[in-house]
Amino acid sequence: MSDDENDNVDQDSMADEWAAAMEEQVEEEAAQAVDLEEFDEPAAAAGTGAAASVDGRPDLDVILDIPVSISMEVGRTAITIRNLLQLNQGSVIELDRLAGEPLDVLVNGTLIAHGEVVVVNEKFGIRMTDVISPSERIKKLR
């Protein structure tokens, strides 16, 4: 076999591996997808076997103790690795936000609100100024 034929065989096998990996990823994502509409319909009608409350709706108490990560984002920027390596104490990085503009409040990386910084008992906090509705948050997840 010539080098060109070997390269073609290698590229074909690599393409097959990528296709298989992409297909596997799609299958995993489909298996992990949560049908959020399930919360809108009665558990008895859905037949999912989910815990149901007295009125036949899903019992959300089973998820209320799950911890989530909440963070506040002041702003973002993109810099080159060269500039990143040149940073030292006292360096200033310009962000994409104006001073006084509300911060983003993120839960597990998903935007849920905007707010302003406050100080409570000598600790920073955030006062929510605009909370995104639950229906809008669900739309963003889909």
Side-chain angles (χ1 to χ4, degrees):
M1 247 187 209
S2 70
D3 286 339
D4 289 338
E5 290 174 354
N6 285 337
D7 287 344
N8 287 340
V9 170
D10 289 343
Q11 288 180 357
D12 289 343
S13 65
M14 187 180 296
D16 291 342
E17 289 177 20
W18 273 104
M22 295 299 288
E23 185 176 319
E24 183 178 310
Q25 181 178 358
V26 168
E27 290 171 359
E28 287 177 8
E29 289 173 356
Q32 293 175 352
V34 174
D35 186 8
L36 297 175
E37 292 173 358
E38 182 178 303
F39 289 109
D40 294 336
E41 58 188 46
T48 60
S53 64
V54 176
D55 62 357
R57 297 184 62 78
D59 185 7
L60 296 180
D61 289 341
V62 297
I63 64 167
L64 293 179
D65 291 329
I66 296 173
V68 294
S69 175
I70 186 167
S71 59
M72 278 42 94
E73 185 174 279
V74 176
R76 293 180 181 211
T77 193
I79 63 173
T80 63
I81 293 175
R82 178 183 323 283
N83 291 341
L84 177 67
L85 294 173
Q86 292 173 350
L87 293 176
N88 53 38
Q89 188 173 351
S91 296
V92 177
I93 300 172
E94 184 178 350
L95 301 176
D96 63 352
R97 277 268 166 122
L98 298 174
E101 197 173 339
L103 304 177
D104 289 341
V105 180
L106 306 157
V107 173
N108 287 350
T110 301
L111 178 68
I112 62 143
H114 299 284
E116 58 189 24
V117 176
V118 295
V119 177
V120 180
N121 296 330
E122 299 181 16
K123 292 186 178 182
F124 285 116
I126 190 161
R127 178 181 296 123
M128 304 292 191
T129 58
D130 179 35
V131 179
I132 297 172
S133 70
S135 61
E136 287 296 317
R137 284 181 259 163
I138 290 173
K139 285 180 187 175
K140 285 185 180 184
L141 291 174
R142 292 182 179 175

